[in-house]
Short mmCIF file of all heavy atoms in Angstrom, two decimals:
data_model
loop_
_atom_site.label_atom_id
_atom_site.label_comp_id
_atom_site.label_asym_id
_atom_site.label_seq_id
_atom_site.Cartn_x
_atom_site.Cartn_y
_atom_site.Cartn_z
N ILE S 1105 11.06 -0.22 -0.36
CA ILE S 1105 11.71 -1.21 0.44
C ILE S 1105 10.99 -2.53 0.37
O ILE S 1105 9.79 -2.54 0.54
CB ILE S 1105 11.85 -0.69 1.86
CG1 ILE S 1105 12.83 0.44 1.97
CG2 ILE S 1105 12.22 -1.80 2.86
CD1 ILE S 1105 13.01 1.06 3.32
N MET S 1106 11.74 -3.61 0.32
CA MET S 1106 11.17 -4.99 0.42
C MET S 1106 11.75 -5.63 1.71
O MET S 1106 12.95 -5.63 1.84
CB MET S 1106 11.49 -5.81 -0.81
CG MET S 1106 10.94 -7.17 -0.80
SD MET S 1106 11.43 -8.24 -2.21
CE MET S 1106 13.16 -8.47 -1.76
N ALA S 1107 10.85 -6.09 2.55
CA ALA S 1107 11.30 -6.67 3.85
C ALA S 1107 10.68 -8.07 3.97
O ALA S 1107 9.51 -8.25 3.55
CB ALA S 1107 10.96 -5.80 5.02
N TYR S 1108 11.47 -9.01 4.62
CA TYR S 1108 10.99 -10.33 4.98
C TYR S 1108 11.88 -10.82 6.05
O TYR S 1108 12.90 -10.28 6.36
CB TYR S 1108 11.12 -11.21 3.68
CG TYR S 1108 12.38 -11.38 3.16
CD1 TYR S 1108 13.18 -12.49 3.42
CD2 TYR S 1108 13.00 -10.47 2.28
CE1 TYR S 1108 14.51 -12.65 3.05
CE2 TYR S 1108 14.24 -10.58 1.80
CZ TYR S 1108 15.02 -11.69 2.12
OH TYR S 1108 16.30 -11.88 1.73
N ILE S 1109 11.37 -12.00 6.65
CA ILE S 1109 12.13 -12.61 7.68
C ILE S 1109 12.82 -13.76 7.12
O ILE S 1109 12.22 -14.73 6.58
CB ILE S 1109 11.23 -13.02 8.83
CG1 ILE S 1109 10.59 -11.89 9.55
CG2 ILE S 1109 12.02 -13.83 9.81
CD1 ILE S 1109 9.70 -12.17 10.71
N GLU S 1110 14.16 -13.80 7.09
CA GLU S 1110 14.94 -14.93 6.61
C GLU S 1110 14.74 -16.13 7.37
O GLU S 1110 14.76 -16.09 8.67
CB GLU S 1110 16.32 -14.59 6.49
CG GLU S 1110 17.24 -15.62 5.72
CD GLU S 1110 18.68 -15.17 5.65
OE1 GLU S 1110 19.15 -14.32 6.43
OE2 GLU S 1110 19.44 -15.77 4.87
N GLY S 1111 14.42 -17.29 6.81
CA GLY S 1111 14.14 -18.44 7.47
C GLY S 1111 12.72 -18.82 7.58
O GLY S 1111 12.31 -19.92 7.92
N ILE S 1112 11.90 -17.80 7.40
CA ILE S 1112 10.39 -18.01 7.48
C ILE S 1112 9.85 -17.78 6.09
O ILE S 1112 9.04 -18.62 5.63
CB ILE S 1112 9.76 -17.08 8.49
CG1 ILE S 1112 10.15 -17.36 9.84
CG2 ILE S 1112 8.27 -17.18 8.44
CD1 ILE S 1112 9.49 -16.57 10.93
N ALA S 1113 10.08 -16.67 5.40
CA ALA S 1113 9.63 -16.51 4.08
C ALA S 1113 10.22 -17.48 3.03
O ALA S 1113 11.36 -17.83 3.09
CB ALA S 1113 9.93 -15.02 3.66
N ASP S 1114 9.34 -17.79 2.06
CA ASP S 1114 9.79 -18.71 1.04
C ASP S 1114 10.69 -17.91 0.13
O ASP S 1114 10.45 -16.90 -0.45
CB ASP S 1114 8.61 -19.20 0.23
CG ASP S 1114 8.85 -20.31 -0.74
OD1 ASP S 1114 10.15 -20.59 -0.95
OD2 ASP S 1114 7.92 -20.95 -1.15
N GLU S 1115 11.91 -18.46 -0.10
CA GLU S 1115 12.98 -17.83 -0.92
C GLU S 1115 12.55 -17.69 -2.41
O GLU S 1115 12.87 -16.66 -2.99
CB GLU S 1115 14.23 -18.71 -0.96
CG GLU S 1115 14.97 -18.56 0.45
CD GLU S 1115 15.45 -17.16 0.71
OE1 GLU S 1115 15.65 -16.37 -0.21
OE2 GLU S 1115 15.65 -16.80 1.98
N SER S 1116 11.68 -18.61 -2.92
CA SER S 1116 11.29 -18.52 -4.32
C SER S 1116 10.30 -17.32 -4.43
O SER S 1116 10.31 -16.66 -5.42
CB SER S 1116 10.57 -19.74 -4.72
OG SER S 1116 9.48 -20.04 -3.92
N VAL S 1117 9.48 -17.17 -3.40
CA VAL S 1117 8.53 -15.96 -3.44
C VAL S 1117 9.34 -14.69 -3.37
O VAL S 1117 8.98 -13.70 -3.99
CB VAL S 1117 7.47 -16.09 -2.31
CG1 VAL S 1117 6.67 -14.85 -2.19
CG2 VAL S 1117 6.65 -17.32 -2.50
N VAL S 1118 10.33 -14.64 -2.38
CA VAL S 1118 11.15 -13.42 -2.30
C VAL S 1118 11.88 -13.09 -3.61
O VAL S 1118 11.84 -11.98 -3.95
CB VAL S 1118 12.19 -13.63 -1.16
CG1 VAL S 1118 13.15 -12.50 -1.04
CG2 VAL S 1118 11.46 -13.80 0.22
N SER S 1119 12.40 -14.07 -4.25
CA SER S 1119 13.19 -13.81 -5.48
C SER S 1119 12.23 -13.44 -6.60
O SER S 1119 12.44 -12.50 -7.41
CB SER S 1119 13.80 -15.12 -5.99
OG SER S 1119 14.78 -15.61 -4.99
N GLU S 1120 10.95 -13.90 -6.63
CA GLU S 1120 10.05 -13.53 -7.65
C GLU S 1120 9.54 -12.11 -7.39
O GLU S 1120 9.47 -11.29 -8.32
CB GLU S 1120 8.79 -14.43 -7.56
CG GLU S 1120 7.72 -14.14 -8.60
CD GLU S 1120 8.12 -14.27 -10.02
OE1 GLU S 1120 9.09 -14.97 -10.21
OE2 GLU S 1120 7.48 -13.59 -10.83
N ILE S 1121 9.32 -11.72 -6.18
CA ILE S 1121 8.88 -10.31 -5.92
C ILE S 1121 10.00 -9.39 -6.18
O ILE S 1121 9.79 -8.26 -6.76
CB ILE S 1121 8.38 -10.21 -4.45
CG1 ILE S 1121 7.07 -11.03 -4.10
CG2 ILE S 1121 8.20 -8.74 -4.01
CD1 ILE S 1121 6.64 -10.94 -2.80
N ARG S 1122 11.28 -9.71 -5.87
CA ARG S 1122 12.34 -8.86 -6.14
C ARG S 1122 12.52 -8.62 -7.62
O ARG S 1122 12.80 -7.57 -8.16
CB ARG S 1122 13.71 -9.50 -5.50
CG ARG S 1122 14.84 -8.50 -5.65
CD ARG S 1122 16.19 -9.31 -5.32
NE ARG S 1122 16.11 -9.69 -3.98
CZ ARG S 1122 16.08 -10.92 -3.42
NH1 ARG S 1122 16.04 -11.93 -4.40
NH2 ARG S 1122 16.15 -11.20 -2.20
N ALA S 1123 12.40 -9.71 -8.42
CA ALA S 1123 12.53 -9.68 -9.85
C ALA S 1123 11.45 -8.83 -10.46
O ALA S 1123 11.69 -8.04 -11.34
CB ALA S 1123 12.50 -11.05 -10.46
N ARG S 1124 10.22 -8.93 -9.95
CA ARG S 1124 9.16 -8.13 -10.49
C ARG S 1124 9.34 -6.50 -10.21
O ARG S 1124 9.00 -5.69 -11.00
CB ARG S 1124 7.80 -8.55 -9.97
CG ARG S 1124 7.37 -9.97 -10.48
CD ARG S 1124 6.00 -10.30 -10.09
NE ARG S 1124 5.69 -11.73 -10.33
CZ ARG S 1124 4.49 -12.20 -10.18
NH1 ARG S 1124 3.47 -11.47 -9.72
NH2 ARG S 1124 4.30 -13.61 -10.49
N LEU S 1125 9.84 -6.28 -8.94
CA LEU S 1125 10.05 -4.97 -8.57
C LEU S 1125 11.25 -4.33 -9.53
O LEU S 1125 11.11 -3.20 -9.90
CB LEU S 1125 10.44 -4.89 -7.14
CG LEU S 1125 9.26 -5.12 -6.09
CD1 LEU S 1125 9.82 -5.07 -4.71
CD2 LEU S 1125 8.19 -3.96 -6.28
N GLN S 1126 12.19 -5.09 -9.63
CA GLN S 1126 13.41 -4.58 -10.46
C GLN S 1126 13.02 -4.43 -11.92
O GLN S 1126 13.77 -3.75 -12.67
CB GLN S 1126 14.61 -5.51 -10.28
CG GLN S 1126 15.17 -5.57 -8.82
CD GLN S 1126 16.26 -6.48 -8.67
OE1 GLN S 1126 16.48 -7.40 -9.53
NE2 GLN S 1126 16.90 -6.45 -7.52
#
Side-chain angles (χ1 to χ4, degrees):
I1105 289 180
M1106 183 185 70
Y1108 62 95
I1109 297 181
E1110 187 177 17
I1112 295 181
D1114 192 344
E1115 288 296 336
S1116 61
V1117 174
V1118 173
S1119 301
E1120 179 65 22
I1121 294 177
R1122 184 189 299 111
R1124 295 189 188 184
L1125 288 174
Q1126 293 175 348

